[in-house]
Amino acid sequence: MAVSMSISVSSQKNSLLYSSFLPATTFRDVGNGTKNCLTFKKHMNFSLSITCASPKIVRCPPLDKIVVKQNKIRFVQKLKTLLLSKPKHFMRLNILSKCRSYLSLTTPCTTLAMIHRYPTVFELFTIPLPPVPLNATKPGYQFCVRLTPAAAALAKQELDLRLAMSDKFAEKLQKLLMLSSHKRLLLSKLVHLAPDLGLPPNFRSRLCNDHPDKFKTVDTSYGRALELVTWNPSLATPLPSPGNKRGLIVDRPLKFKHVKLRRGLNVKRRHEEFLIKFGELPDFCPYNTSVEELGKESLEAEKRACAVVREVLGMMVEKRILIDHLTHFRKEFGMPNKLRLMILRHPELFYVSINGLRDSVFLVESYDDDGNLLEKDESLVINDSWMKLVREGKMMRREKRKLKNFRSNTNGQVDHSTTDDNEEDDYDDGFEDLFENDDSGLEYLFQDDMEEVNGNEHNGEFWRADVSTVEGRVSAEPW
C-alpha cells in the first residue's frame, strides 16, 4: 500500500535542496537556451512528493493472544454493564433480545445460548406476569437474567475500586486535555477511550463534574465537551525515550548504530536506516510543542505524533487501544491523517495486531517478550478475576457435557447437540446508542466507523522521494 505526501518548498535559482534523509540535488542551468534544461525562476514553488510502501506486519503471538483473550469476555463485559445500568440489576429476556446490536451478536447465535455459556456470571429466574385479561393465553411467568451472587460481589468490588481511583482517572482526563490543541475534547469522543482508560460507565455525569478545579463541561456547537481549567506542570512530563532503556551493564556509546526491535522481528536495511536516522532526531515534548510550530508532514511532526501516541497508550490500562478509536482524535492531537501507516512505519515503538474485526495497537516498550505487562494497573486485578470466573463456568459446562455424553453412551445413544466451547467469540466493539441520557448509567456508546485499512501490501521501496516541478520531473534516489 503506497502513500504519498506533498511538501511545498520555495526555491531560488542555483539553489540546493538538502536534507539529512535525502541525497543532495543541485539545480543549475545547463547550457544556453536548451529546451531540455531545468530552469527555475526566483521564488518558484515546486512539489516534493514522498512515497512509501507500508511494511509487512510480522505477527507477535504473545500480543495477539491478549486480543483473543479479551474477545472471549467481551459479551460478559457488555451484558454486565447493561444489567448494572438497570435500577434492580436484571432484565427480561424479551427486552434483552432487542439489544442484539449492542451485544454484537451474530444471526446464528441467540441471546439465551450466550447466557448459558457463562453459568458462573449470569443466571436465569422467573417473575410473574402483570395481571392480564381472563381470555389471554400467555403463561403466568417470564424469564429474566441477572448476575450470579459471585459476579455481583465482583461487580461491587470493581465499583469500590473505581471510586477509590477517582483521582487517578481525573489525572488521565486532565493529561488528555493538556495534549489537545484547544484544551477541549468532546464527550462523545471520550466515550471511545473510556473502557481502555478504566473509567466508570457514568464518568460523564459523575467524574467530569466531581473535579471542577481540573476541568469542566461546556456546551459547544458540536455537543457537550470537557474543557481544561488548570494546567498541571507535574503531569506535563512525557514518557522517557525507549532508546534510553538499553539495559547495558556498561553505559557507553555503541560501536554500531542499531534499532532495538522485539524478538523475532527483522526489517529491511533501508527501513532500519530510516529508523536509525529517525531516532537521532531530537525529542519533542507533546505537551509543550504545538503541531503548528513544526513543518506540516515533516519528520519532526511525525516525531511529535509518535510521542503523542505513546502518551495516549501509556494512559491505557493494558497499554493498547483500537486504532480507529485513536483516529477520532487526529485533529485534536495534531496527528497525521494516515495514522495507521505512520504506526506501521515504527515497529520499534508500536505493534499492530490484526486479530479481531478491528486492529489494535500496542505500546511495545510496556511488554516483555512473553507478552506480560512490565507495570500492571490496579484495575487489571479485577479483569483477571472476571477471567477466572469465566474459566470456572467453562469447566462446569465441560464436566456437565462429559456426564451427559457418558449417560448417552451408556444407553447406546450418541449426543450430537453439544455446543463447542471453542466457538469463536470475535465480537465487534461497536456500542450502539441505547441510552442517550447521560444519567442512564450506560455510557460506553461506541460507533462502528472503522476506516478500511490494509497494511499487508509491501511492494516497492520503503521510502522514495520524487521531485516534481512545473516544467519537468527529476527523480531522486530512495531515502
Side-chain angles (χ1 to χ4, degrees), residues 61 105 367 373 424:
L105 295 179
Y367 289 85
L373 275 171
E424 185 179 4

Side-chain angles (χ1 to χ4, degrees), residues 403-414:
L403 181 60
K404 186 176 181 180
N405 291 338
F406 175 76
R407 292 177 178 176
S408 300
N409 294 333
T410 303
N411 298 330
Q413 301 176 357
V414 180

Side-chain angles (χ1 to χ4, degrees), residues 77 81 128 240:
Q77 297 288 353
T81 304

Side-chain angles (χ1 to χ4, degrees), residues 68-83 93 96-97 99-106 109-119 121-124 145-147 386-387 390 423-429 431:
V68 174
K69 184 177 68 173
Q70 184 65 25
N71 289 340
K72 293 296 181 181
I73 64 170
R74 186 160 297 143
F75 175 82
V76 174
Q77 297 288 353
K78 290 183 176 182
L79 183 53
K80 178 201 68 174
T81 304
L82 188 59
L83 293 177
L93 286 185
L96 187 62
S97 61
C99 304
R100 294 180 57 88
S101 60
Y102 166 74
L103 299 174
S104 302
L105 295 179
T106 56
C109 190
T110 63
T111 307
L112 186 60
M114 290 300 300
I115 293 175
H116 283 309
R117 295 186 65 175
Y118 305 99
V121 183
F122 308 111
E123 63 180 4
L124 297 174
V145 59
R146 65 187 176 192
L147 294 175
W386 284 110
M387 287 296 302
V390 170
E423 182 179 339
E424 185 179 4
D425 292 334
D426 196 7
Y427 306 112
D428 189 11
D429 290 85
F431 282 65

Side-chain angles (χ1 to χ4, degrees), residues 264-383:
L265 176 62
N266 294 315
V267 296
K268 294 183 179 180
R269 181 178 178 181
R270 192 175 303 280
H271 190 179
E272 184 180 7
E273 292 175 354
F274 164 75
L275 295 179
I276 291 176
K277 293 181 179 180
F278 182 85
E280 293 175 350
L281 292 176
D283 294 330
F284 295 94
C285 179
Y287 297 97
N288 301 325
T289 306
S290 176
V291 67
E292 287 79 9
E293 301 176 8
L294 306 174
K296 186 178 180 181
E297 296 182 350
S298 62
L299 288 176
E300 289 77 9
E302 183 168 328
K303 185 82 172 183
R304 179 195 174 275
C306 288
V308 171
V309 176
R310 290 181 63 236
E311 289 295 318
V312 175
L313 289 176
M315 302 179 199
M316 303 298 138
V317 175
E318 294 185 348
K319 314 303 179 186
R320 69 180 181 91
I321 193 178
L322 292 177
I323 290 184
D324 49 320
H325 286 175
L326 191 61
T327 55
H328 294 312
F329 299 90
R330 287 190 301 241
K331 184 177 180 180
E332 289 81 356
F333 293 157
M335 296 183 292
N337 291 331
K338 298 177 181 178
L339 179 61
R340 185 182 188 275
L341 182 61
M342 186 203 73
I343 292 175
L344 287 175
R345 276 203 301 268
H346 296 278
E348 82 283 8
L349 301 176
F350 316 110
Y351 169 69
V352 176
S353 174
I354 59 177
N355 279 42
L357 297 180
R358 294 191 280 184
D359 298 348
S360 303
V361 56
F362 288 79
L363 186 61
V364 174
E365 61 194 82
S366 298
Y367 289 85
D368 58 13
D369 293 335
D370 297 328
N372 300 318
L373 275 171
L374 300 178
E375 295 181 4
K376 287 191 176 182
D377 193 90
E378 299 177 19
S379 57
L380 283 179
V381 179
I382 302 296
N383 293 347

